[in-house]
């Protein structure tokens, strides 16, 4: 991992030691009363809190009939969370939790920046944290990557990336618009990004902004990760890229790991071969590392597992550890340079008022400090391997079809969505929060989880599978 410059170290404030601060945080958590503050200064009872939520909160990606107040979290520390009734859970469900809950250095950094400058519109001025963060991200990549656009979410980052890819070809006088993507991929919930997925749940009734050629997986999710799937998958992409009916593609867009698409681990060598195909066809490779970036996949970026770099790299969730929303689009210099020829303003016509928010940038810098100091990518690889090895014997037992993983992402594929739902409910009863994507159940704990925590995750999954069999 590359070292950061002296100016980047300004993102950390120096005060009490981490261990002392964590101890204080734990004692504060333990002293909170169930009937008093539930994390917001409220003195409402747990029933009142749940009732208020049911009456007024519209939960995203949820059936109207679903009651999300079953898991009503009050406060958290490290990899543990507590609900409004005081019940403790191990959290293995948070996609964006890079360095866990209640990190004192992140809280201090956010508080300090908020008191100085919370944010401003980067289309008219700028601030130091944006430059420091863009410089830090560039330090993890080759010298060809020097420019990053900041946005507020993964969906916005993918929207921006596809605008860039489309505009790039117009800028150089070779207009293209077609995109090649996996049918089971997921790239966000805006109109354009929903159009880049073939998942039924993501479908919409509007006209798609860009033509998309979808590529199907060559087998079931449990089979795709095997080496013999690679030639079939590469051949499918080669055919889609060369489809002359839609003209040459502006970009090939993929996730290194299919999250919403069913917890699918791609075969080894997939990104390497895709880079080769894109180079041969002279098209852009856009990698969606919104989920896998910043250590989750066992490297700083999942593409580095195969020594591959895209033309456009999209990241978000783990960048600020979930403390403040932020997304990033990092591009090769030739993509950025082409926008000097953009016909309307001579630049990128995309962005938001809060893009590159100063507090978000500082939270991201503090998160990356933790990622580097505590070697979180390496820990993710180590603990993810431990979890997969321990849980692998569950495959073929009860409703478990397959156990697989990438970095600190562990997937149990079940026989059906109903069986996956049963495992989720059983895990909840054992004090473990997991994630579900149709038939796939995923364990994605904070990257700072320790060996004892990994043991708890494994033990409670084992107990849940056995209970489900009973």
């Amino acid at each position: 991992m590359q070292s950061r410059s002296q100016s980047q170290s300004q993102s950390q404030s120096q005060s009490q030691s981490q261990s002392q601060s964590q101890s204080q945080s734990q004692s504060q958590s333990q002293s909170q009363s169930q009937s008093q503050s539930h994390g917001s200064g409220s003195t409402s009872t747990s029933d009142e809190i749940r009732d208020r939520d049911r009456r007024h909160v519209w939960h995203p990606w949820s059936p109207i009939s679903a009651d999300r107040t079953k898991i009503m979290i009050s406060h958290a520390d490290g990899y543990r969370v507590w609900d409004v009734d005081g019940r403790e859970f191990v959290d293995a469900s948070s996609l964006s939790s890079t360095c866990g809950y209640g990190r004192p250095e992140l809280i201090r950094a956010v508080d300090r920046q908020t008191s100085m400058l919370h944010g401003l519109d980067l289309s008219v001025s700028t601030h130091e944290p944006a430059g420091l963060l863009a410089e830090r991200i560039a330090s993890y990549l080759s010298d060809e990557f020097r420019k990053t656009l900041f946005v507020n979410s993964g969906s916005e980052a993918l929207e921006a990336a596809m605008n860039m890819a489309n505009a790039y070809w117009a800028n150089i006088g070779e207009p293209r618009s077609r995109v090649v993507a996996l049918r089971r991929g997921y790239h966000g919930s805006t109109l354009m990004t929903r159009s880049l997925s073939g998942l039924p749940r993501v479908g919409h009734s509007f006209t798609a902004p860009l033509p998309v050629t979808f590529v199907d997986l060559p087998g079931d999710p449990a089979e795709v990760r095997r080496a013999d799937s690679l030639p079939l998958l590469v051949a499918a992409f080669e055919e889609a890229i060369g489809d002359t009916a839609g003209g040459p593609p502006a970009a090939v867009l993929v996730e290194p790991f299919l999250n919403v698409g069913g917890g699918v681990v791609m075969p080894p060598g997939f990104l390497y071969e895709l880079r080769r195909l894109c180079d041969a066809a002279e098209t852009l490779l856009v990698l969606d590392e919104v989920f896998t970036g910043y250590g989750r996949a066992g490297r700083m970026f999942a593409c580095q597992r195969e020594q591959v770099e895209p033309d456009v790299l999209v990241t978000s969730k783990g960048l600020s550890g979930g403390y403040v929303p932020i997304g990033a689009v990092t591009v090769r210099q030739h993509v950025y340079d082409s926008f000097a020829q953009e016909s309307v303003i001579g630049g990128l016509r995309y962005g938001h008022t809060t893009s590159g928010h100063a507090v978000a940038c500082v939270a991201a810098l503090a998160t990356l400090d933790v990622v580097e100091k505590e070697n979180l990518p390496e820990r993710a690889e180590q603990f993810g391997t431990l979890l997969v090895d321990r849980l692998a014997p569950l495959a073929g037992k009860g409703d478990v079809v397959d156990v697989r993983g990438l970095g600190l992402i562990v997937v149990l594929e079940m026989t059906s969505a109903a069986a996956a739902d049963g495992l989720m409910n059983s895990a909840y009863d054992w004090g473990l929060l997991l994630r579900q994507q149709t038939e796939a159940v995923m364990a994605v704990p904070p990257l700072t989880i320790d060996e004892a925590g990994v043991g708890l995750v494994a033990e409670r999954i084992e107990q849940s599978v056995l209970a489900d069999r009973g």
Side-chain angles (χ1 to χ4, degrees):
M1 189 178 298
Q2 300 181 32
S3 62
R4 56 187 179 275
S5 67
Q6 291 180 346
S7 64
Q8 290 169 322
S9 67
Q10 295 173 7
S11 64
Q12 291 188 41
S13 59
Q14 302 297 323
S15 59
Q16 301 175 359
S17 69
Q18 177 182 324
S19 60
Q20 184 179 26
S21 299
Q22 288 178 327
S23 175
Q24 291 173 349
S25 176
Q26 290 171 351
S27 61
Q28 288 171 358
S29 297
Q30 293 168 355
S31 66
Q32 287 186 343
S33 169
Q34 172 184 333
S35 61
Q36 294 178 342
S37 172
H38 294 281
S40 62
S42 169
T43 57
S44 302
T45 66
S46 60
D47 286 342
E48 289 171 339
I49 292 171
R50 286 190 168 94
D51 182 62
R52 183 184 301 114
D53 190 285
R54 294 186 190 108
R55 285 186 287 115
H56 296 296
V57 178
W58 192 338
H59 289 267
W61 292 109
S62 301
I64 295 298
S65 59
D67 183 5
R68 295 304 186 213
T69 67
K70 175 182 178 181
I71 305 175
M72 177 66 76
I73 301 303
S74 163
H75 58 285
D77 184 72
Y79 56 83
R80 301 174 187 270
V81 298
W82 287 262
D83 70 10
V84 292
D85 296 312
R87 186 177 174 196
E88 178 185 318
F89 297 86
V90 172
D91 182 19
S93 68
S94 180
L95 299 178
S96 60
S97 189
T98 307
C99 46
Y101 297 98
R103 289 294 299 222
E105 57 267 70
L106 266 84
I107 296 168
R108 288 194 299 269
V110 166
D111 285 349
R112 181 173 181 272
Q113 184 60 46
T114 303
S115 69
M116 293 173 57
L117 172 71
H118 65 277
L120 45 78
D121 186 347
L122 290 193
S123 70
V124 295
S125 59
T126 193
H127 50 72
E128 185 180 23
L132 289 173
L133 181 56
E135 180 184 49
R136 180 77 70 89
I137 294 172
S139 75
Y140 303 132
L141 299 163
S142 70
D143 290 342
E144 293 182 69
F145 291 84
R146 296 195 294 274
K147 293 290 184 178
T148 291
L149 174 78
F150 294 114
V151 291
N152 307 299
S153 69
S155 293
E156 292 175 11
L158 262 300
E159 184 99 6
M162 301 321 295
N163 272 281
M164 290 175 182
N166 185 271
Y168 166 77
W169 294 104
N171 294 342
I172 65 173
E174 302 175 20
R176 301 184 187 184
S177 60
R178 186 168 67 95
V179 179
V180 176
L182 281 164
R183 191 180 303 277
R184 291 186 70 139
Y186 173 79
H187 304 288
S189 57
T190 61
L191 174 59
M192 182 184 291
T193 56
R194 287 173 70 177
S195 302
L196 300 171
S197 172
L199 294 170
R201 189 180 181 191
V202 186
H204 59 82
S205 59
F206 303 101
T207 301
L210 297 173
V212 183
T213 303
F214 286 117
V215 175
D216 291 306
L217 295 178
D220 294 331
E223 301 170 350
V224 171
R225 62 188 171 94
R226 301 190 178 109
D228 56 6
S229 294
L230 180 61
L232 299 174
L233 191 57
V234 171
F237 268 96
E238 187 169 23
E239 180 180 357
I241 292 171
D243 182 4
T244 57
V252 174
L253 168 65
V254 297
E255 304 161 272
F257 169 91
L258 305 190
N259 172 21
V260 179
V264 182
V265 176
M266 307 306 288
F270 169 62
L271 295 182
Y272 179 87
E273 290 297 325
L274 205 56
R275 176 74 271 179
R276 180 183 63 79
L277 290 178
C278 289
D279 289 341
E282 297 183 335
T283 190
L284 300 179
L285 175 59
V286 181
L287 287 188
D288 178 350
E289 294 227 26
V290 166
F291 176 39
T292 53
Y294 306 107
R296 175 63 64 181
R299 303 291 189 277
M300 184 59 75
F301 305 111
C303 60
Q304 292 172 339
R305 299 182 71 95
E306 298 182 16
Q307 292 78 52
V308 166
E309 288 185 330
D311 299 292
V312 181
L313 178 66
V314 182
T315 59
S316 179
K317 295 185 189 298
L319 179 52
S320 67
Y323 280 76
V324 184
I326 190 170
V329 187
T330 305
V331 302
R332 289 184 186 265
Q333 191 66 30
H334 73 92
V335 174
Y336 174 83
D337 289 343
S338 77
F339 280 84
Q341 308 304 317
E342 196 274 334
S343 61
V344 179
I345 67 169
L348 178 65
R349 290 185 288 135
Y350 187 90
H352 305 271
T353 305
T354 52
S355 295
H357 194 275
V359 175
C361 289
V362 163
L365 284 163
T367 297
L368 294 175
D369 286 343
V370 176
V371 170
E372 294 183 18
K373 284 191 307 179
E374 301 187 9
N375 298 316
L376 294 189
E378 292 85 351
R379 286 179 56 174
E381 183 76 2
Q382 175 191 356
F383 288 144
T385 299
L386 284 174
L387 266 175
V388 170
D389 288 348
R390 176 159 171 183
L391 297 175
L394 295 177
K397 295 183 179 178
D399 290 317
V400 180
V401 174
D402 186 41
V403 176
R404 54 183 180 266
L406 179 73
L408 196 48
I409 310 166
V410 179
V411 181
L412 280 80
E413 184 180 335
M414 309 299 286
T415 55
S416 65
D421 189 57
L423 178 56
M424 292 284 293
N425 290 331
S426 182
Y428 172 85
D429 292 339
W430 284 102
L432 176 66
L433 302 182
L434 300 170
R435 292 194 69 85
Q436 180 183 358
Q437 300 293 357
T438 57
E439 295 88 2
V441 174
M442 289 190 286
V444 281
L447 301 188
T448 49
I449 194 168
D450 55 22
E451 191 167 354
V454 169
L456 285 174
V457 172
E459 177 183 332
R460 293 179 186 185
I461 289 176
E462 291 166 339
Q463 291 168 325
S464 300
V465 170
L466 292 174
D468 190 50
R469 292 181 68 189

